[in-house]
Amino acid sequence: MATLIVPACIPSPEEDSHHLKKAFQGFGTNEASIIEILAHRNGAQRKLIREAYAATHGEDLLKDLEKELSGDFLRAVLLWTLDPAERDAQLANEATKILSANNLVIMEIGCTRSSYELFKAREAYHARYKKSLEEDVAFHTTGDYRKLLVPLVSAFRYEGDEVNMMLAKSEAKILHDKISEKAYFDDEIIRILTTRSKAQLNATLNQYNDHFGSAIFKDLKGEADNECVNFLRATLKCLTCPEKYYEKTLRLAIKRLGTDENALTRVVVTQAEVNMQRIKEEYHKRNSVTLDHAIAGDTSGDYEKVLLALIGHE
């Protein structure tokens, strides 16, 4: 459930674009006006604002934002203003760079987007970078990470709720057997994780728990010092319990020594229109403090204001 708050009556895209242009003019930028407009418009509305801005002023809104804003506030606003597919393409591309390589970002995109959203992200990647997402992921990863990530970002899963219980039982046994053998990245595990629908995967994990008396996450936790196994565990969590995965990502980003602004920004801007309400509820349950309070205590200025606006703080 989304946390984005869009007013019942909003100005036209032309009017919004006019107010944004006005916010850039004069002595100093009017950051409050930028937040008031962009942080309270959905994806379709933001796209129309960008188009109206270009048509009316002959300029690119994103480039003007880059000229006027800076730091973490700039990154949050830019990522938020992008079309979701463009945003995913940019995040994935950044995640393959040597200095900013982050397999978790690629995994999140492959696990939490719908089949259509993932297809659109691949399409946007192809258009912007003149190569495929799959080839960049394959080129910039190695070993077990590559084995899992390439089919994850290539997937086009069934999105319905129908499940095959006989299949769930048989594949639960396959998962248990391979994990017992410590064959964590066996082809069969990769096949199940990267092709089955999320409903089917949840049914399979329930069968795993019922038949073998232990949750798969607990069995994988026994290899806590193995980074690849931890990554596999995070992938399963992201596929089947995304709100718990993102709660942990936010908790680590906020509570570490020095805030991980990249992770904090990424989760907020990608989930504000998707699943942020459930993530907030999970955060409160797990930490006994609201996410709003945690963000307010760990950030400041316009960066704090835009994040709080996106998570529905009033």
Side-chain angles (χ1 to χ4, degrees):
M1 191 174 166
T3 52
L4 175 67
I5 300 173
V6 178
C9 295
I10 61 169
S12 68
E14 290 75 19
E15 192 174 345
D16 274 342
S17 70
H18 170 74
H19 286 299
L20 285 170
K21 186 65 175 177
K22 191 176 179 180
F24 302 148
Q25 296 171 335
F27 184 74
T29 305
N30 187 341
E31 289 87 353
S33 181
I34 295 170
I35 295 170
E36 182 182 353
I37 296 169
L38 292 177
H40 295 284
R41 303 292 186 269
N42 63 33
Q45 291 162 345
R46 296 194 305 275
K47 184 177 181 181
L48 291 174
I49 291 170
R50 286 175 62 188
E51 292 171 355
Y53 193 93
T56 305
H57 305 290
E59 296 169 331
D60 186 336
L61 174 59
L62 297 177
K63 289 183 179 178
D64 278 359
L65 287 167
E66 285 183 331
K67 292 176 188 174
E68 299 295 331
L69 310 181
S70 62
D72 297 317
F73 178 52
L74 167 63
R75 179 165 174 81
V77 172
L78 281 181
L79 284 175
W80 174 248
T81 306
L82 285 171
D83 175 81
E86 292 178 302
R87 181 198 303 138
D88 282 344
Q90 179 174 318
L91 289 171
N93 183 259
E94 290 173 355
T96 63
K97 303 296 185 186
I98 293 174
L99 295 178
S100 59
N102 192 332
N103 290 332
L104 285 171
V105 174
I106 301 169
M107 181 272 286
E108 287 173 15
I109 294 170
C111 289
T112 62
R113 290 4 174 213
S114 70
S115 295
Y116 180 71
E117 289 166 345
L118 187 53
F119 171 77
K120 296 300 289 183
R122 292 198 298 266
E123 193 174 57
Y125 197 100
H126 197 276
R128 180 169 177 180
Y129 301 107
K130 311 307 177 189
K131 47 189 172 178
S132 73
L133 172 59
E134 297 91 328
E135 70 176 291
D136 265 2
V137 172
F139 183 74
H140 292 285
T141 56
T142 58
D144 291 332
Y145 291 108
R146 177 192 290 168
K147 192 174 183 180
L148 177 58
L149 286 172
V150 172
L152 263 183
V153 299
S154 308
F156 200 90
R157 302 173 192 269
Y158 167 65
E159 293 288 337
D161 295 325
E162 292 184 24
V163 296
N164 182 325
M165 292 309 298
M166 291 298 292
L167 183 65
K169 290 178 183 178
S170 66
E171 293 193 335
K173 185 177 186 308
I174 291 171
L175 290 175
H176 184 264
D177 290 348
K178 297 302 179 183
I179 290 171
S180 297
E181 296 166 9
K182 297 192 175 183
Y184 300 112
F185 288 84
D186 183 88
D187 288 346
E188 284 294 271
I189 290 183
I190 301 296
R191 175 187 63 79
I192 293 168
L193 266 57
T194 60
T195 65
R196 296 303 183 198
S197 73
K198 291 170 186 177
Q200 185 68 41
L201 280 172
N202 273 299
T204 298
L205 297 200
N206 287 336
Q207 289 297 315
Y208 187 107
N209 188 48
D210 291 345
H211 284 270
F212 303 108
S214 176
I216 192 169
F217 300 107
K218 185 176 180 181
D219 288 349
L220 289 171
K221 205 169 185 178
E223 296 280 343
D225 58 343
N226 186 322
E227 287 187 10
C228 285
V229 176
N230 287 336
F231 187 78
L232 180 67
R233 189 170 179 269
T235 301
L236 270 166
K237 185 74 73 174
C238 203
L239 279 166
T240 59
C241 313
E243 65 278 6
K244 292 185 178 181
Y245 168 84
Y246 279 124
E247 179 281 320
K248 183 177 181 180
T249 302
L250 287 170
R251 172 163 33 95
L252 294 177
I254 292 170
K255 290 190 174 181
R256 64 181 294 175
L257 184 62
T259 308
D260 183 350
E261 287 87 359
N262 278 341
L264 176 57
T265 299
R266 184 181 76 250
V267 175
V268 170
V269 301
T270 61
Q271 296 303 302
E273 291 185 273
V274 185
N275 199 32
M276 183 53 74
Q277 186 58 45
R278 293 187 67 187
I279 295 167
K280 285 177 66 176
E281 290 166 1
E282 188 66 31
Y283 192 94
H284 193 194
K285 182 170 69 174
R286 175 67 172 74
N287 301 281
S288 300
V289 64
T290 65
L291 180 60
D292 305 48
H293 184 78
I295 288 176
D298 219 51
T299 60
S300 61
D302 295 313
Y303 178 55
E304 173 194 345
K305 291 173 185 175
V306 74
L307 293 183
L308 290 177
L310 292 177
I311 65 168
H313 181 77
E314 295 184 278

